[in-house]
Amino acid sequence: MALPDFVANVNSFESTSIRNHFLADLQKQAELLLDSLDGRLSISPDGSLVAWFGHPKAHLDDADRAAYFAQFMSEWMKRYAEKTFFVDWQD
């Protein structure tokens, strides 16, 4: 999933604050969704999120859960950008 421009292009204190707020909201949303899907989340030192399914407990539909998570989070980022910053999202 690609991050929106307002997150990827940080060049001032204001844009850094916006990015940090967005990433905190993204992390909260990911944690809530992964908890309901029985997935796990790891946050790397640079702030990137890694989600996985199937460990330590596997399900027959782990691939479906991962695909649903990716689609949901992509749409969530799009709605967040449109609602918060009135950004016209480009796919």
Side-chain angles (χ1 to χ4, degrees):
M1 292 180 284
L3 291 175
D5 287 339
F6 70 86
V7 175
N9 299 329
V10 176
N11 56 11
S12 70
F13 177 76
E14 182 181 356
S15 58
T16 301
S17 176
I18 291 169
R19 182 204 62 193
N20 290 343
H21 185 72
F22 171 80
L23 291 175
D25 289 346
L26 179 70
Q27 179 182 344
K28 288 176 194 173
Q29 185 63 43
E31 287 172 345
L32 287 171
L33 184 58
L34 284 170
D35 188 45
S36 67
L37 295 172
D38 204 21
R40 302 292 178 261
L41 180 68
S42 178
I43 304 165
S44 39
D46 67 353
S48 59
L49 306 176
V50 177
W52 70 90
F53 299 84
H55 180 74
K57 182 179 177 184
H59 304 87
L60 291 175
D61 63 345
D62 279 330
D64 295 332
R65 293 169 191 236
Y68 176 79
F69 174 77
Q71 290 173 338
F72 184 92
M73 293 307 296
S74 180
E75 282 298 312
W76 180 88
M77 287 192 297
K78 178 180 176 181
R79 288 190 311 270
Y80 186 97
E82 289 171 349
K83 181 180 87 173
T84 307
F85 303 105
F86 307 107
V87 173
D88 184 22
W89 187 273
Q90 302 293 322
D91 285 331

